[in-house]
Amino acid sequence: MDDLGNYLVASGAVIAGLVRYRTARPRPLTAAQRYVLVVLFGAGAGLVFAATAVQAVIGAVTAVPYLARFLASASVMVSAFSAVCMVASVVPEPAQARVRKGTRWMAAVMVVLILVMAVLLLGSDAAFNPDLAKVLATEDDVAAGQGVYWGFVAVCITWFVVLLRRYLLRPDVRPLMHYAMATATLASVVALLWLGWNVIILVGQRVGGQFRSDSLDMAHWLGIGAAGLMGVSLTLPLWIRALRRRVTRWRSRRAVRGLEPLWSELTDLLPDIALHPPDLDCAPEVVLYRQVIEIRDAELRLMRYVPPDLETVVRDAHARQVHRRNALHARRAPVETRIAAAAFATAMANFRAGRRQADAPAGSREPSTGLSDVLAEARWLIAVHRCMVDDPVVAQVVHSVQPYGKTHGEGASPGT
């Protein structure tokens, strides 16, 4: 069960690294992006090598009992150092030059410590034991190797948090990156808890203390949790953007279905407003944008068929219904929606009958605007169409004003 957690988080880290690489291409990778990939792949490798089953197999095949533990520790050290370099490459100047100089020294120290750890772990003649707590109590070289590993990772995590705070002071940090870096800070806190618990076990075992077999299980799960949170933080902007795209696409599909009745009526009435034949392969956002544009074009064409006093008539009818006992529809349909619905309905009826308004010059009325985006505009038009179909006030107004005007111009039928 413990190994399953390692494999799951390692798989997530590798998949996240592949996704990050694919989304960055074909442009050249920036320094920060390269470090992110090293962090993710290094953490994934470290988790796989830290699995008990993998350590046992590698130890049996190579006759080097702690080779897998050395590879796990070295991978995590490289991953932790790369996390520091990742943030160091984006901190604001003038701190960036100083921090980069420090990371060069830290890289040299890391190489030396990995060599020391290799001597201690690979040169140990201790037999492999999956219970690390017992090994730490009796084997000085393994305990020293683990101490080197934990000490370096602790320095990296501390420096990472300090640099992260400097990075968040940049004025151009987007809100989504703030959420990602907050998750990275949480991962760092969990990692420090993991290190603290490991140190407690190491010191306790060395001074003769006795720990239960599940004492290292807590440290194990803290380490997995820290790695998982770090992987989430480094890919959070990608997942959130992908989720937003999916939600927007789903909303666009719904809006396209909702707009279809109004769009079909208007394109049947004014076929030339259609920009081009419908393309079923188009993204729903493109189809929605095209439908809204075509509906607005039709609205501009039809405004000359709207009686000039229509708004006053609708407001009066709306006010009368509000004062009646049954005001359900008045609450359900705002007056502005009713005005737009009545304008559409009367204009379409007058266009079919050829009754253009003689005292309403073409283009004197403009369609309603001021909506935030295409989806908001589509929702507004869907509500307008529902009002055209269902609202009794709109039906009453349309019936009362249809005879208004006289036959003139475009849309006139021969018998008008």
Side-chain angles (χ1 to χ4, degrees):
M1 185 64 182
D2 291 349
D3 287 352
L4 179 61
N6 283 50
Y7 300 143
L8 289 176
V9 177
S11 300
V14 171
I15 292 171
L18 294 174
V19 170
R20 291 285 311 211
Y21 178 77
R22 184 173 180 180
T23 54
R25 303 295 295 173
R27 297 183 302 273
L29 295 176
T30 64
Q33 289 171 334
R34 289 194 295 269
Y35 288 127
V36 168
L37 296 180
V38 176
V39 171
L40 293 171
F41 291 135
L47 287 166
V48 170
F49 287 126
T52 304
V54 173
Q55 291 186 38
V57 169
I58 292 179
V61 170
T62 63
V64 182
Y66 291 98
L67 173 60
R69 180 158 295 281
F70 164 74
L71 294 174
S73 301
S75 299
V76 175
M77 289 170 70
V78 172
S79 178
F81 173 70
S82 298
V84 173
C85 294
M86 174 191 69
V87 185
S89 64
V90 293
V91 293
E93 295 287 1
Q96 190 173 112
R98 185 173 64 255
V99 170
R100 284 181 177 176
K101 184 178 179 180
T103 56
R104 294 192 193 100
W105 282 102
M106 194 172 185
V109 172
M110 179 183 67
V111 172
V112 172
L113 292 180
I114 288 177
L115 293 175
V116 171
M117 192 170 59
V119 172
L120 292 170
L121 293 179
L122 303 184
S124 175
D125 56 358
F128 174 74
N129 188 338
D131 190 349
L132 183 60
K134 292 181 179 178
V135 176
L136 295 178
T138 57
E139 302 296 334
D140 294 339
D141 44 7
V142 177
Q146 286 298 112
V148 168
Y149 160 56
W150 289 332
F152 181 80
V153 172
V155 172
C156 287
I157 293 173
T158 305
W159 200 5
F160 174 78
V161 173
V162 172
L163 292 178
L164 201 58
R165 183 176 177 276
R166 292 182 183 176
Y167 167 72
L168 293 176
L169 294 177
R170 287 179 50 161
D172 58 341
V173 177
R174 293 169 295 177
L176 191 55
M177 286 302 298
H178 271 281
Y179 298 140
M181 294 303 101
T183 307
T185 304
L186 177 60
S188 301
V189 171
V190 176
L192 289 174
L193 292 174
W194 163 69
L195 287 169
W197 187 249
N198 280 327
V199 170
I200 290 173
I201 292 175
L202 174 60
V203 174
Q205 292 284 8
R206 300 303 296 178
V207 299
Q210 295 295 324
F211 289 86
R212 295 188 305 173
S213 60
D214 61 353
S215 59
L216 277 178
D217 289 347
M218 181 181 295
H220 174 77
W221 288 108
L222 284 172
I224 290 178
L229 285 172
M230 185 60 71
V232 169
S233 70
L234 295 179
T235 54
L236 185 63
L238 297 180
W239 305 131
I240 294 297
R241 282 196 290 268
L243 179 61
R244 284 177 177 172
R245 283 195 298 270
R246 289 186 176 275
V247 171
T248 300
R249 183 154 292 192
W250 174 74
R251 288 176 176 173
S252 298
R253 286 196 183 97
R254 287 191 61 191
V256 167
R257 289 195 296 269
L259 273 184
E260 186 68 27
L262 177 60
W263 179 82
S264 296
E265 285 185 48
L266 291 173
T267 52
D268 288 343
L269 191 66
L270 300 167
D272 56 322
I273 66 168
L275 300 176
H276 50 74
D279 186 356
L280 299 179
D281 294 330
C282 279
E285 300 93 333
V286 176
V287 176
L288 180 65
Y289 182 76
R290 192 199 71 194
Q291 285 189 346
V292 169
I293 292 296
E294 292 171 353
I295 290 171
R296 288 307 196 185
D297 285 345
E299 188 177 6
L300 283 170
R301 290 271 300 277
L302 292 172
M303 284 303 100
R304 68 190 73 180
Y305 292 89
V306 178
D309 60 344
L310 178 72
E311 182 173 341
T312 302
V313 174
V314 175
R315 290 189 183 277
D316 290 344
H318 179 85
R320 285 195 300 271
Q321 193 181 47
V322 168
H323 288 91
R324 291 177 189 165
R325 293 180 60 187
N326 183 9
L328 178 60
H329 289 286
R331 290 193 299 270
R332 185 179 299 171
V335 65
E336 297 299 331
T337 307
R338 281 178 162 164
I339 292 171
F344 262 116
T346 55
M348 293 168 71
N350 286 337
F351 181 87
R352 291 188 182 98
R355 290 189 293 265
R356 177 170 163 178
Q357 304 306 306
D359 54 351
S364 62
R365 300 174 61 91
E366 294 183 0
S368 53
T369 56
L371 298 167
S372 59
D373 54 29
V374 174
L375 272 174
E377 197 164 358
R379 293 190 189 103
W380 158 258
L381 292 171
I382 291 168
V384 168
H385 185 258
R386 289 198 190 110
C387 206
M388 289 169 60
V389 174
D390 298 335
D391 193 78
V393 171
V394 172
Q396 173 190 346
V397 170
V398 172
H399 179 73
S400 66
V401 302
Q402 271 188 24
Y404 185 92
K406 59 184 180 180
T407 302
H408 180 73
E410 163 182 30
S413 60
T416 323

